[in-house]
Amino acid sequence: MIIERHLAPYVVFSEDPIINGLRKISANKERIVFCVDAHGILQGALSDGDFRRWIVENPSADLETSCISVANQNAKAAPSSTPASELGALMGQGISHLPLVDERGHLVAIAINKSDVLRIGKHEIGEDSPAFIIAEIGNNHNGSVELAKQLVDLAADAGADAVKFQLRDMDSLYRQSGGSTAGEDLGAQYTLDLLSKFSLPAESLFEVFDHCKERDITVMCTPWDSKSVTDLADYGIPGLKIASADLTNHELLRDAASRGLPLIMSTGMSREDEIKESADLVRSLGAQFALLHCQSTYPAPFKDVNLAYMDRLAEIGECVVGYSGHERGIHVPVAAVARGAKIVEKHFTIDQSMEGNDHKVSLLPDEFKQMVKNIREVEEAIGQRTARVVSTGEMMNRVNLAKSLVAARPLAVGDVISESDVAVKSPGRGLQPNALPQLVGRKVHRAMAEGDFFFEGDLNESTPKGRQFEFNRPWGLPVRYHDHAALIEDCKPDFLEFHFSYKDLDVDMDSFFTKPLEMGFTTHLPDLFAGDFLVDLASMDQAHWGRSIAEVQRTIDITRDLKKWFTKDEDPVMVVTMGGFTTDRHISPAERQPKYQRIADALKKLDTTGVRIAAQTLPPFPWLMGGQQYHNLFLDPVDTAAFAEETGTMLCLDVSHSKLAATFLNIPFSEAVELMAPHTIHLHLVDATGVDGEGVQVGDGDVDWPVLAEQLDRLSPNVSFIPEIWQGHVNNGEGFWTALDRLEKWL
């Protein structure tokens, strides 16, 4: 049972239009909101079922109708003082959300009947959530409030979701007052001596807890006695941790479970029957809880860890499970996450040599940060149990490495394809070999030379073709020397954009033209040069930097030479990927500025006469040389716009790249466009998905095209564009024609 006190996602004012209620229902994913008046008094409940019934009965209804007009105004509610153990019985059949009201009817909380999730502060922990990572500070502050605050800061910087402390009332907890150790065994004496020296009283801990709020990190605490439970509940702690040593302390469990707070319970030192007994107890009391698998030795031998027991723990508890580790290193918690742990707790210290046995099994800040990084990487790698799709990177490699169906001989329009007409050859740009049965017996609807690829369109009766498109700005096509003539047979774009390969720089361009074309052109620096060389004008390596400048200059020179084959008297744009990539991580914002300066210095060494250089905006995870790397520059719209402003370098706004970057940076794409569009001289229009799905067909991804079109009309009027659909040129430009057809209604 979850007692939700963060009500904003679940509440609408009664007079709000129904469309507002639907938006909140969609956003909170709980399929319900509650209507309150201006004073917060509960008026009714509005579920998606209530809306469906209403719209069926009123098919022409206005979505500006008030929420309360559609809501169930007789929704069941319960007093907020109702014990959690009784709430389940009050819900009854089909009720999963029960509003809790005070004596005047104000909505103060919502009871949500869930056992497969745990909600602690702002974190919802469950099957579909990332692991909740706790830095267990415990008493590693060694009695210092200032050290405790420092540890909080370090834990937050290391990526912890929460920090956890311990609170004891020594007189309540131990059989001898004042922490006296007379007559105790050696181990107990050692522990009591440490606690007497290092335990912080509630008032001091609360000062540290307030600091946690300032750092926006969730705080939890382990109460070791009932007085501590009361103090923590009165403070407003968002969750309690029950130590392994108290799993069989049913009196403490009853007290903690009665507070309406989520509990995380460690199971070290307990037998399975004791674990089951305690889980049954807190469940019967209506508490939301999780169980942590734990081996309570310090350090724990790897042979005793037994991560496989988490599966059994999940069956026993019927709840979220996690792992509390006391072993050396960081690899076991990472493995625990791979096995399904949704909570990870590891001890945290600033110095492993400090007095106290917890320090010896604690992670240092850098170690904890590495553990968090590894856990997040493993979570990414785990993915979901959905149908397998080919990733963007795999698609690129598939084109390079796989095989295609190609014409084994010249074919004329109307020929019926037989098996002997088809060969299997590399690369994989065309139909995959397993499509042969679908291809055989079909009529050819385009003339094909030997070696021409068969495409998806050859399985249809017709394919999209070029036509004369109409836009409110210059439009062009991305081409290579060898295919530009075929792509402009049925249309006349305003310009062509030559996407050079490094071999294109060495060919005789004059052999591809018979007369000057009545249009303009742009060019694009090769993405890769001979010897696996990537241009990086931000490189601090002098040799790499020097070659990068030379390769850019060579491409500029060729761009200038190409002007003789085009009649439009305007300096061509040359799109340049400036560099700043790394192979293992994203660099910090502070590390970017020297690299931007390095690029600025490189640009000063170029002779750009007659050519307009445009710095391409970049994605967070570029696909380079068959794998994924990291871009750092021209990624963040703030420093990208600042570079353009300070150096006078114009931008090629690649919509796919910048949408991926905005998603990665968790900022609205519209804000990124507002910053960069005023500095834009050229556009690559293409869609995107997630943080690395680039080159997606227009309208098939995450870009809001009507909003983008309005921004471009306002901020970048008359700026030229191409549809840069990945593999858009195959099948005689099918992808380009589809994109242009869709873009025409917005531009």
Side-chain angles (χ1 to χ4, degrees):
M1 185 72 64
I2 295 174
I3 309 300
E4 179 60 82
R5 291 181 170 82
H6 177 51
L7 298 180
Y10 301 91
V11 171
V12 293
F13 289 115
S14 296
E15 299 309 313
D16 281 350
I18 188 68
I19 189 66
N20 287 12
L22 294 176
R23 289 192 183 108
K24 284 211 168 182
I25 287 173
S26 176
N28 69 32
K29 299 179 182 178
E30 296 288 343
R31 304 174 66 180
I32 195 168
V33 290
F34 295 92
C35 301
V36 299
D37 66 13
H39 304 289
I41 294 176
L42 180 67
Q43 303 289 298
L46 173 63
S47 69
D48 59 353
D50 294 324
F51 173 75
R52 285 197 302 271
R53 285 187 290 272
W54 174 75
I55 201 68
V56 167
E57 295 171 1
N58 305 275
S60 59
D62 185 354
L63 292 182
E64 292 298 314
T65 301
S66 67
C67 287
I68 195 63
S69 300
V70 183
N72 174 10
Q73 299 182 37
N74 296 311
K76 180 183 288 189
S80 56
S81 58
T82 306
S85 58
E86 299 177 12
L87 293 174
L90 292 175
M91 288 186 174
Q93 187 71 23
I95 299 177
S96 58
H97 296 72
L98 184 66
L100 305 179
V101 298
D102 64 16
E103 62 277 1
R104 291 181 292 174
H106 295 103
L107 180 64
V108 296
I110 302 166
I112 305 175
N113 195 11
K114 282 186 177 180
S115 62
D116 58 347
V117 297
L118 193 71
R119 196 163 292 161
I120 299 178
K122 62 184 178 183
H123 301 276
E124 184 169 291
I125 309 160
E127 182 179 358
D128 297 326
S129 67
F132 182 65
I133 302 177
I134 305 170
E136 158 66 316
I137 295 173
N139 283 329
N140 280 356
H141 47 67
N142 282 29
S144 166
V145 169
E146 291 311 308
L147 178 55
K149 291 180 180 179
Q150 183 184 0
L151 286 165
V152 168
D153 292 338
L154 291 169
D157 294 341
D161 295 306
V163 289
K164 189 181 78 63
F165 294 90
Q166 299 176 12
L167 180 61
R168 295 170 173 84
D169 180 73
M170 299 296 288
D171 289 340
S172 300
L173 183 57
Y174 288 97
R175 66 192 182 103
Q176 301 182 75
S177 63
S180 172
T181 65
E184 302 294 358
D185 292 337
L186 181 60
Q189 281 189 334
Y190 173 72
T191 300
L192 281 167
D193 284 344
L194 287 176
L195 295 176
S196 297
K197 281 196 293 184
F198 297 147
S199 288
L200 284 173
E203 295 75 17
S204 297
L205 269 184
F206 294 164
E207 181 182 340
V208 179
F209 293 177
D210 290 342
H211 182 67
C212 293
K213 292 178 182 176
E214 295 171 6
R215 283 305 310 263
D216 193 28
I217 188 169
T218 298
V219 63
M220 298 186 67
C221 194
T222 296
W224 287 81
D225 51 80
S226 288
K227 183 179 185 304
S228 297
V229 171
T230 299
D231 289 343
L232 292 170
D234 289 347
Y235 172 80
I237 199 82
L240 297 173
K241 167 72 191 300
I242 303 299
S244 292
D246 273 319
L247 189 68
T248 58
N249 184 352
H250 290 184
E251 179 182 357
L252 184 70
L253 291 182
R254 286 192 185 91
D255 190 2
S258 71
R259 307 294 178 145
L261 295 170
L263 308 179
I264 296 178
M265 306 193 299
S266 278
T267 60
M269 301 187 289
S270 291
R271 300 189 307 269
E272 184 169 295
D273 61 316
E274 294 170 332
I275 297 170
K276 186 177 187 306
E277 187 178 42
S278 294
D280 289 344
L281 172 63
V282 294
R283 187 184 301 107
S284 71
L285 296 170
Q288 54 169 318
F289 69 96
L291 296 175
L292 301 189
H293 177 52
C294 180
Q295 171 56 232
S296 295
T297 47
Y298 300 73
F302 296 124
K303 69 179 180 62
D304 293 339
V305 169
N306 192 23
L307 290 178
Y309 191 71
M310 287 193 303
D311 298 343
R312 178 69 180 149
L313 202 59
E315 295 173 3
I316 293 169
E318 301 174 10
C319 64
V320 173
V321 297
Y323 178 68
S324 177
H326 302 114
E327 70 292 319
R328 296 180 177 91
I330 65 174
H331 49 297
V332 173
V334 176
V337 170
R339 285 199 60 94
K342 287 299 175 182
I343 301 171
V344 167
E345 179 185 64
K346 280 287 279 186
H347 287 263
F348 188 75
T349 187
I350 197 172
D351 184 350
Q352 292 166 335
S353 67
M354 291 176 71
E355 184 180 3
N357 57 356
D358 280 357
H359 291 286
K360 309 299 186 292
V361 296
S362 297
L363 297 180
L364 296 170
D366 285 347
E367 295 172 324
F368 198 95
K369 184 175 184 178
Q370 186 63 44
M371 180 190 74
V372 173
K373 179 177 183 290
N374 290 357
I375 285 173
R376 299 309 182 211
E377 290 171 346
V378 165
E379 287 175 330
E380 278 191 273
I382 289 171
Q384 297 176 328
R385 299 179 193 175
T386 54
R388 193 184 194 284
V389 296
V390 180
S391 72
T392 303
E394 283 183 317
M395 285 297 295
M396 294 178 178
N397 286 339
R398 177 162 155 161
V399 167
N400 297 330
L401 302 174
K403 296 179 175 65
S404 300
L405 299 179
V406 302
R409 64 177 180 85
L411 297 172
V413 175
D415 285 350
V416 177
I417 302 170
S418 66
E419 282 198 38
S420 63
D421 295 327
V422 185
V424 176
K425 302 285 185 181
S426 285
R429 283 172 50 195
L431 279 176
Q432 294 288 291
N434 62 344
L436 180 62
Q438 300 168 259
L439 189 63
V440 170
R442 290 184 174 273
K443 287 185 178 181
V444 176
H445 51 70
R446 59 188 173 93
M448 299 182 69
E450 181 179 346
D452 280 357
F453 292 101
F454 288 100
F455 295 110
E456 192 75 30
D458 293 307
L459 301 179
N460 303 321
E461 296 307 315
S462 63
T463 57
K465 292 185 177 181
R467 61 178 174 83
Q468 198 53 43
F469 297 91
E470 297 292 335
F471 293 100
N472 61 11
R473 60 184 63 236
W475 68 279
L477 290 172
V479 298
R480 300 276 299 284
Y481 283 144
H482 67 269
D483 66 5
H484 80 275
L487 286 170
I488 60 175
E489 282 182 355
D490 299 313
C491 63
K492 185 181 178 182
D494 297 302
F495 66 95
L496 299 177
E497 179 161 316
F498 290 89
H499 281 224
F500 293 132
S501 72
Y502 68 87
K503 288 194 172 182
D504 289 341
L505 302 183
D506 296 324
V507 301
D508 176 13
M509 72 171 71
D510 296 348
S511 66
F512 294 96
F513 301 93
T514 58
K515 62 178 181 178
L517 298 176
E518 295 181 358
M519 59 182 67
F521 77 98
T522 61
T523 64
H524 195 303
L525 184 80
D527 291 324
L528 176 69
F529 287 84
D532 290 345
F533 183 82
L534 297 172
V535 163
D536 187 2
L537 298 177
S539 177
M540 298 300 174
D541 179 271
Q542 193 65 26
H544 196 112
W545 191 63
R547 182 180 172 186
S548 296
I549 293 170
E551 297 290 12
V552 174
Q553 186 63 63
R554 182 159 69 110
T555 309
I556 291 172
D557 296 342
I558 290 169
T559 299
R560 269 197 295 260
D561 290 345
L562 192 55
K563 293 171 74 172
K564 63 188 174 186
W565 291 109
F566 293 85
T567 61
K568 190 169 183 180
D569 188 20
E570 183 179 31
D571 289 345
V573 169
M574 179 175 139
V575 179
V576 178
T577 298
M578 296 286 182
F581 54 85
T582 45
T583 59
D584 58 345
R585 65 178 180 92
H586 285 109
I587 63 176
S588 68
E591 296 173 272
R592 296 179 201 154
Q593 196 51 47
K595 290 184 174 291
Y596 275 120
Q597 185 58 52
R598 190 72 162 162
I599 291 174
D601 293 342
L603 293 176
K604 293 175 184 176
K605 293 181 175 292
L606 297 170
D607 175 9
T608 60
T609 305
V611 174
R612 293 176 290 164
I613 295 294
Q616 183 174 213
T617 62
L618 299 175
F621 302 103
W623 299 99
L624 299 171
M625 295 188 295
Q628 196 176 76
Q629 297 190 19
Y630 302 80
H631 268 315
N632 300 285
L633 310 183
F634 304 97
L635 173 79
D636 188 316
V638 174
D639 58 41
T640 301
F643 178 86
E645 181 82 30
E646 292 163 9
T647 66
T649 305
M650 299 302 286
L651 302 177
C652 169
L653 176 56
D654 186 300
V655 167
S656 183
H657 292 172
S658 293
K659 172 59 178 173
L660 299 174
T663 301
F664 171 71
L665 296 169
N666 196 29
I667 61 175
F669 180 49
S670 59
E671 290 185 10
V673 173
E674 289 288 330
L675 287 169
M676 295 187 294
H679 303 285
T680 294
I681 195 175
H682 187 53
L683 295 161
H684 286 171
L685 299 187
V686 56
D687 222 316
T689 57
V691 295
D692 62 6
E694 60 179 285
V696 178
Q697 180 58 265
V698 169
D700 291 349
D702 301 334
V703 174
D704 188 330
W705 289 98
V707 170
L708 175 62
E710 181 279 324
Q711 290 183 286
L712 294 180
D713 286 346
R714 174 166 46 85
L715 301 168
S716 303
N718 301 316
V719 167
S720 58
F721 80 91
I722 62 164
E724 200 184 24
I725 310 305
W726 186 72
Q727 292 290 292
H729 61 285
V730 304
N731 201 17
N732 296 318
E734 178 180 356
F736 298 149
W737 313 135
T738 300
L740 290 166
D741 188 61
R742 294 179 180 182
L743 287 168
E744 208 170 30
K745 63 185 174 185
W746 297 309
L747 299 175

